[in-house]
Amino acid sequence: MTDVDATDFAVVVYREDERWEAEILPVALTEDLDGLIHALRQQPSLGGTIGLVAVGDDFFVAIRLLGEDTMVFLSDVTASVDWPLARQVLDHLDIPVPDDEELDQVLPVGDMSIFADLGLDEMEIGAISGDLELYPDEMLLSISERLGFAPAFERALDALG
């Protein structure tokens, strides 16, 4: 079991009445990909539902549900060595956990075009996730700004305290 502290969070983002809304999900979902996807499926939304998870100072996961499609993005493949959620994402994507020789580089994996139709292309999400100066929550804030739901995202995070 990993230590869960205040920097671990999961947020669901969705459209309701033409506005973006965001709500905090239980922190236990930061270690359970299947539970996270199930929770996102419970939130009806026009244009799909987005899940954003930050774990420690290490990585983030973005999930987008569009109809029956589930798109998953992991900001750092090397996180799978230490973190259950990152390992579950690799299992979901059918990508092997990297071995020791492959741990020297921070690389994102998954659906790089997860937000392309919303205006965030593969190059941009790659650049955000590769910025070693940013913490995962800052990366997710940057993504939320580019996608147009930063105010809702920030309100949800403010509820954390």
Side-chain angles (χ1 to χ4, degrees), residues 114-125:
I114 188 170
F115 300 125
D117 64 317
L118 297 175
L120 183 68
D121 66 26
E122 294 91 343
M123 295 294 288
E124 286 180 286
I125 198 166

Side-chain angles (χ1 to χ4, degrees), residues 41 48 65-70:
R41 289 216 184 277
L65 305 179
L66 279 172
E68 293 302 310
D69 293 337
T70 301

Side-chain angles (χ1 to χ4, degrees), residues 4-71:
V4 177
D5 59 36
T7 60
D8 294 354
F9 64 83
V11 174
V12 58
V13 181
Y14 56 94
R15 302 245 336 146
E16 186 171 271
D17 298 328
E18 300 301 313
R19 283 193 349 255
W20 286 106
E21 299 290 340
E23 297 174 13
I24 293 294
L25 293 170
V27 73
L29 295 176
T30 63
E31 294 189 8
D32 179 9
L33 181 63
D34 290 338
L36 187 59
I37 291 170
H38 178 76
L40 296 177
R41 289 216 184 277
Q42 304 308 306
Q43 181 61 59
S45 174
L46 303 166
T49 304
I50 298 169
L52 301 173
V53 180
V55 178
D57 295 339
D58 294 304
F59 69 98
F60 74 85
V61 174
I63 300 167
R64 186 160 179 218
L65 305 179
L66 279 172
E68 293 302 310
D69 293 337
T70 301
M71 295 173 270

Side-chain angles (χ1 to χ4, degrees), residues 120-138:
L120 183 68
D121 66 26
E122 294 91 343
M123 295 294 288
E124 286 180 286
I125 198 166
I128 292 168
S129 61
D131 186 342
L132 300 179
E133 299 294 313
L134 296 177
Y135 289 107
D137 62 323
E138 295 169 323

Side-chain angles (χ1 to χ4, degrees), residues 67-103:
E68 293 302 310
D69 293 337
T70 301
M71 295 173 270
V72 182
F73 175 85
L74 172 64
S75 66
D76 178 8
V77 69
T78 64
S80 63
V81 173
D82 296 320
W83 298 96
L85 180 64
R87 199 166 23 262
Q88 292 166 32
V89 168
L90 291 191
D91 288 345
H92 177 84
L93 296 170
D94 201 24
I95 296 173
V97 174
D99 55 32
D100 289 341
E101 296 85 48
E102 300 169 308
L103 295 178

